[in-house]
Amino acid sequence: MKYDDIAFAFDFVSSDRPYINEAYLSKETETLYYDSPYADDDMFDTPPENVISTDDYIQIPHKNDLNLGYRLVRTFVRIHIPEEMSQVALFFNAPGAYARFKDLLKREDLLQEWYQFEADRTESKLRSWCELKGIELED
């Protein structure tokens, strides 16, 4: 299975709140199936009816399942701008948190560093998840 295909499915699932967009990997065929209330039926291969009730499919995780949401933000803030921890915590008590967080990073000249940190941690966590699920990756 190509890492980029798994990463695309992961990004699809993580592009909205948990349980809105879903993706499943067939263990047998390595086919990825997508489901979303926003997608047209002909946009993706939709999952078979038995996708949830069988062990033949692996559900692709949401970023929150891998602690790549607010927890990742807190880790970055603790390392780079610990003095802003309480301010960032307030951001995440209301809608628009990521926009406010990114505005702060722009002011602190840390936005590109955040993107690299997020990408590195995401790839590491996603590869570890694949290994745990027995998904052999090729690059």
Side-chain angles (χ1 to χ4, degrees):
M1 182 92 237
K2 290 183 180 177
Y3 173 78
D4 288 346
D5 293 339
I6 293 288
F8 178 85
F10 175 78
D11 289 342
F12 173 81
V13 170
S14 298
S15 68
D16 207 330
R17 296 178 322 275
Y19 311 111
I20 302 297
N21 297 328
E22 296 178 321
Y24 300 88
L25 174 66
S26 167
K27 291 179 183 178
E28 183 180 330
T29 65
E30 293 190 342
T31 301
L32 283 160
Y33 296 94
Y34 298 88
D35 193 21
S36 173
Y38 309 119
D40 294 331
D41 288 342
D42 60 344
M43 194 171 188
F44 298 115
D45 289 336
T46 55
E49 292 295 321
N50 67 340
V51 73
I52 294 175
S53 62
T54 180
D55 290 334
D56 297 336
Y57 299 90
I58 300 170
Q59 186 171 14
I60 303 300
H62 186 275
K63 67 181 179 178
N64 292 350
D65 298 326
L66 301 182
N67 295 321
L68 292 168
Y70 177 55
R71 201 176 243 180
L72 185 64
V73 167
R74 284 192 340 235
T75 301
F76 182 84
V77 171
R78 201 171 350 196
I79 293 168
H80 296 281
I81 44 174
E83 66 279 5
E84 299 292 346
M85 186 63 82
S86 60
Q87 182 64 44
V88 171
L90 290 174
F91 292 164
F92 283 84
N93 286 329
Y98 277 100
R100 288 190 298 277
F101 173 61
K102 288 178 182 176
D103 285 344
L104 171 65
L105 295 178
K106 283 179 196 172
R107 289 192 305 274
E108 297 288 334
D109 198 29
L110 289 170
L111 190 58
Q112 290 307 313
E113 201 161 336
W114 161 251
Y115 287 138
Q116 189 62 54
F117 180 82
E118 182 182 37
D120 292 346
R121 292 289 173 100
T122 298
E123 182 172 351
S124 175
K125 291 268 192 163
L126 192 52
R127 285 181 180 277
S128 294
W129 176 84
C130 286
E131 186 177 326
L132 180 70
K133 294 295 183 178
I135 301 169
E136 292 186 29
L137 297 174
E138 53 187 67
D139 290 315

